[in-house]
Amino acid sequence: MTQAEQLGGFVRRASYDDLSERARSQLKIRVLDALGCALGALEAGPVRLIRAQIEEFCPSGPCTLVGGGRTSPEQAAFYNSALVRYLDFNDSFLAPSETCHPSDNLGAVLAAAEYAGRSGRDLLASLAVAYQVQCRLSEEAPVRARGFDHTTQGSYAVAAGVSKALGLGVEETADALGICGTAFNALRVTRTGVLSHWKGLAYPATAFACTYGTLLASRGITGPREVFEGNKGFIDSIAGPFTIDWSEEDLEKVTDTIVKKYNSEIHSQSAVEGVLELLEGSGATAADIAAVEIAIFGVAFHIIGGGEEGDKKLVESKEQADHSLPYIVAVAILDRQVTPAQYRADRIRGEDVQSLLRRVRILNDPDLSRRFPAEMPCRIKVRLRDGRELESEKSDYEGFRTRPMRWETVAAKFERLAEPHASGPARRAIVDAVAHLEHLPARELTRLLASLREGAGR
């Protein structure tokens, strides 16, 4: 058997019954967290442009758009994934050399489950499959250092999760993996230099294309099943040698993912929590600060600290701001929070935050790098204008594996994000549906996601 066929066997065998109680509860927490992010993004400019394109070219179909309306499965996968991803507030998985956001798969899996008339149990199992595939490939076959984006592994995750939701056999799933894994190898330039809207839309594009490719496989279109080990395949051309025995895999990787406390890039979370704790304990204000120095692990330094992926002191857009540790720390100090409001254009242009971010220095600390990803470590030093220095060291934050976020906390996050776009009864119905998703059809959840305030997202 090829590796794609072995992975297809794993997908076919996977079942809701294979999930531990902890994995089931954590998976539902991730779903609720992702849906909060989706509802919070309904009025975002790029999302509205995508909505306009769908309404012009594909305004009907079997699948639900969050906020109301229907379209084809692949368009629903794109739009709903864009909603989940746009705020950059959804979950993450930290591998030693790769970071991904596994709830990016929800839009595609939800569209496939709705299209196929699956149960909530099937939806959860399919999403767990996508999580497992993406996280394990991120661990064993990282691609960032070779210039490829983490959406590259995502193509296999979407194909696997959608295949599971559609109920495909081993051979059809292997074809889907071959089609998607061959065709959608994305460049890391998406997240380097001056960032664009595509930072938040690259994975939705993967969801779109791989949902479409998997539907083609379901009709009998074949793909290169030697996509992993074949001549000029994924191993040969991109990842290098790796081994995953899919016959030994479970569905527990969701329990290793982490949830964001702050609306900022995942590697910034402990630094933001640490800075806010430090200032709260000292009584110092932004006006008292002469300089801030943050020593952090290498992955964070290179992605958001001004390392190999570009200057982070030039911040002019939302996409640049949420991937700039100097901006994130500066705005947290000034506003004592990091929410979607901190990425409004007028806030980003503010003289106070632009001035303070230039006084934030980020250092690459090899000792902290050795502690990552078991920890999310950082050392914080704040120098005040009166000559005092405040210092703190963090190893994690609320939402990390060592301090997991409780259902009640995530439900409160969902409420804050969804409130502008959904009535109280609508919000409560969605929370209750996710809490009891294993007892509902997937279409009940999509029905609730369509029944928000009139005009939401339009």
Side-chain angles (χ1 to χ4, degrees), residues 367-387:
D367 175 60
L368 299 179
S369 298
R370 285 188 286 271
R371 293 162 54 184
F372 176 85
E375 301 176 18
M376 188 177 279
C378 64
R379 296 190 186 96
I380 303 162
K381 183 183 295 184
V382 178
R383 182 164 54 84
L384 302 180
R385 295 187 186 278
D386 62 10

Side-chain angles (χ1 to χ4, degrees), residues 111-432:
E114 180 183 24
Y115 170 74
R118 299 298 178 186
S119 68
R121 288 166 62 97
D122 296 329
L123 170 60
L124 290 169
S126 301
L127 188 59
V129 163
Y131 266 70
Q132 193 75 21
V133 171
Q134 187 169 13
C135 293
R136 291 294 289 124
L137 285 173
S138 296
E139 286 181 321
E140 303 297 335
V143 299
R144 183 174 68 88
R146 295 176 172 85
F148 291 90
D149 196 34
H150 65 262
T151 59
T152 297
Q153 295 103 328
S155 63
Y156 299 100
V158 173
V162 170
S163 291
K164 184 65 185 176
L166 294 176
L168 302 191
V170 173
E171 293 189 351
E172 295 165 307
T173 301
D175 287 328
L177 291 163
I179 292 168
C180 298
T182 298
F184 307 115
N185 296 289
L187 297 179
R188 182 70 184 179
V189 71
T190 296
R191 296 170 217 284
T192 66
V194 178
L195 300 182
S196 67
H197 289 153
W198 202 249
K199 175 181 75 69
L201 300 179
Y203 206 103
T206 298
F208 169 92
C210 296
T211 298
Y212 191 79
T214 303
L215 286 166
L216 289 175
S218 76
R219 296 181 184 276
I221 298 294
T222 60
R225 296 185 189 176
E226 293 182 336
V227 59
F228 287 110
E229 71 275 28
N231 182 20
K232 296 182 174 58
F234 181 62
I235 290 173
D236 191 14
S237 300
I238 298 176
F242 72 93
T243 301
I244 299 176
D245 185 350
W246 293 105
S247 68
E248 296 294 324
E249 289 294 314
D250 54 29
L251 296 177
E252 298 297 301
K253 269 299 170 185
V254 64
T255 65
D256 288 335
T257 60
I258 56 180
V259 177
K260 289 186 178 183
K261 182 177 183 178
Y262 305 100
N263 190 184
S264 59
E265 200 272 350
I266 188 62
H267 302 105
S268 72
Q269 299 290 304
S270 58
V272 174
E273 187 179 76
V275 164
L276 293 178
E277 290 173 346
L278 197 59
L279 294 180
E280 183 178 355
S282 70
T285 67
D288 300 321
I289 294 174
V292 179
E293 181 178 285
I294 298 178
I296 204 159
F297 49 95
V299 171
F301 174 76
H302 289 301
I303 294 176
I304 58 174
E308 65 185 25
E309 296 199 354
D311 178 18
K312 298 302 176 180
K313 296 291 181 72
L314 176 63
V315 179
E316 298 176 339
S317 69
K318 184 265 183 194
E319 288 74 20
Q320 290 172 307
D322 69 27
H323 266 53
S324 164
L325 188 53
Y327 177 86
I328 293 163
V329 168
V331 83
I333 290 171
L334 289 160
D335 298 355
R336 300 301 171 100
Q337 60 184 349
V338 186
T339 73
Q342 275 62 58
Y343 299 108
R344 295 194 311 261
D346 59 341
R347 187 69 193 101
I348 292 169
R349 292 193 300 266
E351 184 178 345
D352 57 349
V353 71
Q354 288 289 334
S355 174
L356 183 54
L357 76 85
R358 284 166 174 75
R359 302 199 300 274
V360 178
R361 184 184 181 205
I362 312 300
L363 303 177
N364 183 4
D365 189 310
D367 175 60
L368 299 179
S369 298
R370 285 188 286 271
R371 293 162 54 184
F372 176 85
E375 301 176 18
M376 188 177 279
C378 64
R379 296 190 186 96
I380 303 162
K381 183 183 295 184
V382 178
R383 182 164 54 84
L384 302 180
R385 295 187 186 278
D386 62 10
R388 288 183 295 153
E389 288 191 346
L390 311 176
E391 296 187 42
S392 175
E393 181 168 341
K394 297 284 291 184
S395 62
D396 64 4
Y397 72 95
E398 183 186 14
F400 196 67
R401 292 185 297 269
T402 49
R403 281 198 286 151
M405 204 172 280
R406 298 179 300 117
W407 171 267
E408 293 79 9
T409 306
V410 174
K413 176 181 172 181
F414 172 87
E415 286 285 335
R416 291 193 302 273
L417 290 169
E419 191 278 333
H421 308 289
S423 66
R427 298 195 304 273
R428 289 190 291 274
I430 293 169
V431 172
D432 186 65

